[in-house]
Amino acid sequence: MSYTLQIKPYVCVPESITVPIGQMDEVLDTFPQVYAVMWITGKLYQAKVTADSSNSTKKRRVVSHVWYKTFFCHREGEKEQTKTTLGGISGVTRPVQKATKKIGCLATMRITCYKDDPDNVVFTFQKEQ
């Protein structure tokens, strides 16, 4: 049995990508193959709309988005220090079986749907891999 090794050239992650809202999930699924990045889903933030906003005398912050969702790199977090644990009744120390792959990556991705263009979403990338 023979295998063919396919090596693709490195593709740099762009600063932003604009796609139709219907293709958002398809684009998310292609990131591991194209850019070799997996994302952990963060929280969905939606703009608050109040009915009494015209009667209010307070200044309100102008929000340019309908919603946005933040994603984090799968290698985010602190690197776990190698430690040993006590093993059962005997009390013999044993090493941790699996070392973590967390390296403290600060890369984030934000998907934003703007009020000006609600049919499209913009993928914005911050802090490279």
Side-chain angles (χ1 to χ4, degrees):
M1 188 183 303
S2 66
Y3 294 101
T4 305
L5 181 63
Q6 296 180 358
I7 300 175
K8 296 181 181 178
Y10 173 73
V11 179
C12 185
V13 179
E15 288 185 19
S16 67
I17 302 172
T18 304
V19 296
I21 200 164
Q23 295 179 356
M24 180 179 73
D25 292 330
E26 296 170 14
V27 172
L28 272 174
D29 293 339
T30 63
F31 279 116
Q33 292 86 20
V34 177
Y35 303 113
V37 179
M38 291 180 59
W39 297 102
I40 298 172
T41 305
K43 188 175 178 183
L44 174 67
Y45 298 91
Q46 294 184 338
K48 295 178 182 176
V49 180
T50 58
D52 298 330
S53 62
S54 61
N55 297 339
S56 178
T57 57
K58 290 184 177 180
K59 284 189 175 181
R60 299 271 182 198
R61 182 186 300 179
V62 177
V63 180
S64 62
H65 64 271
V66 177
W67 59 266
Y68 70 89
K69 194 168 190 177
T70 307
F71 292 79
F72 304 97
C73 178
H74 73 288
R75 298 194 69 183
E76 173 206 25
E78 293 191 19
K79 187 174 183 179
E80 185 176 327
Q81 300 295 326
T82 305
K83 59 182 177 182
T84 56
T85 58
L86 296 178
I89 298 170
S90 65
V92 178
T93 59
R94 60 185 179 92
V96 174
Q97 293 179 359
K98 181 180 177 186
T100 182
K101 292 187 176 183
K102 304 291 184 186
I103 59 170
C105 183
L106 300 174
T108 58
M109 174 179 68
R110 185 184 218 183
I111 302 175
T112 310
C113 180
Y114 290 101
K115 288 181 181 178
D116 298 341
D117 191 13
D119 297 331
N120 292 324
V121 292
V122 178
F123 289 78
T124 308
F125 302 92
Q126 300 167 351
K127 301 197 178 163
E128 291 185 18
Q129 294 287 321

